Amino acid sequence: MKKTKWQAVFIVCQFICMFIVPVLCLWLEYGSNAFVSVKYKISITGMIFVLLFFALSKRFWLNDTLKKLQAKIANIETDALSMTDQQAITTAKKVYKRYRCIDLLFKLLMPLVLLIGLTIIIKALEEQALKMYGVFLWSTMSFAVGIGFKALEIHCTKFVHEVKDK
């Protein structure tokens, strides 16, 4: 393939639209006010750390406890099949209900904590999301223009031994 002068112009325009303009938008929006940016990152990082802590504690501590609790529930259900004494049935029923309530509480507690944490993070990100929306909007439009320049570059491609049209 032979490069033409128009192809070179379109490559430069494509580079500007697909790289320079998005980086410039990010720098203009977030690079000028470093204090707000650092403050924002620390608070969100702290919230994400708390959510990560809860998720990891569920994984390492709570899952084992829940497996043991579910095994106890299964044993009570199995033993209930052969129980005939009314006192034993009443006691087993109380223990079964208590274990099932604890199981339900722990199974629903983690998603609830995660949803509350995500709600807090989203509220903290609300103002920043509006700024980010503008940055992404301008970057997307610039990228779309860059794609147009890429199409024009492809259209201007010439073969090495191509004869010029008169």
Side-chain angles (χ1 to χ4, degrees):
M1 297 295 168
K2 184 169 75 172
K3 298 287 182 188
T4 64
K5 62 182 175 181
W6 282 110
Q7 206 171 9
V9 169
F10 292 142
I11 288 172
V12 169
C13 290
Q14 176 187 350
F15 178 75
I16 289 170
C17 289
M18 293 180 135
F19 181 71
I20 301 296
V21 172
V23 170
L24 185 64
C25 285
L26 283 171
W27 182 77
L28 288 175
E29 190 62 48
Y30 293 108
S32 60
N33 195 350
F35 177 71
V36 173
S37 179
V38 170
K39 179 180 172 188
Y40 156 75
K41 289 179 184 174
I42 291 171
S43 64
I44 296 303
T45 305
M47 288 181 215
I48 291 173
F49 176 75
V50 169
L51 286 178
L52 183 64
F53 172 75
F54 278 115
L56 289 176
S57 67
K58 180 186 183 303
R59 171 75 173 99
F60 292 115
W61 175 74
L62 201 54
N63 283 354
D64 291 338
T65 305
L66 285 175
K67 285 180 185 176
K68 291 176 187 175
L69 187 63
Q70 289 168 353
K72 289 179 183 180
I73 291 170
N75 285 340
I76 292 172
E77 289 172 345
T78 305
D79 292 342
L81 294 173
S82 61
M83 282 186 194
T84 55
D85 182 27
Q86 290 302 314
Q87 184 65 26
I89 291 173
T90 306
T91 305
K93 191 173 181 180
K94 284 182 185 178
V95 172
Y96 176 79
K97 286 181 180 180
R98 185 176 59 213
Y99 285 165
R100 289 293 294 190
C101 287
I102 292 169
D103 183 48
L104 178 67
L105 175 72
F106 281 127
K107 282 183 178 176
L108 296 180
L109 182 65
M110 290 311 295
L112 181 65
V113 168
L114 290 175
L115 286 173
I116 290 170
L118 288 174
T119 304
I120 292 169
I121 287 174
I122 288 171
K123 186 63 178 168
L125 286 172
E126 187 175 21
E127 182 182 328
Q128 296 298 325
L130 290 175
K131 287 183 178 181
M132 193 178 293
Y133 171 76
V135 169
F136 277 112
L137 182 66
W138 285 107
S139 297
T140 302
M141 289 190 309
S142 177
F143 201 81
V145 171
I147 291 171
F149 283 123
K150 179 66 176 175
L152 289 172
E153 175 204 340
I154 292 169
H155 183 71
C156 290
T157 301
K158 302 278 185 197
F159 285 97
V160 175
H161 299 292
E162 184 176 348
V163 177
K164 291 185 181 181
D165 293 334
K166 294 183 183 183

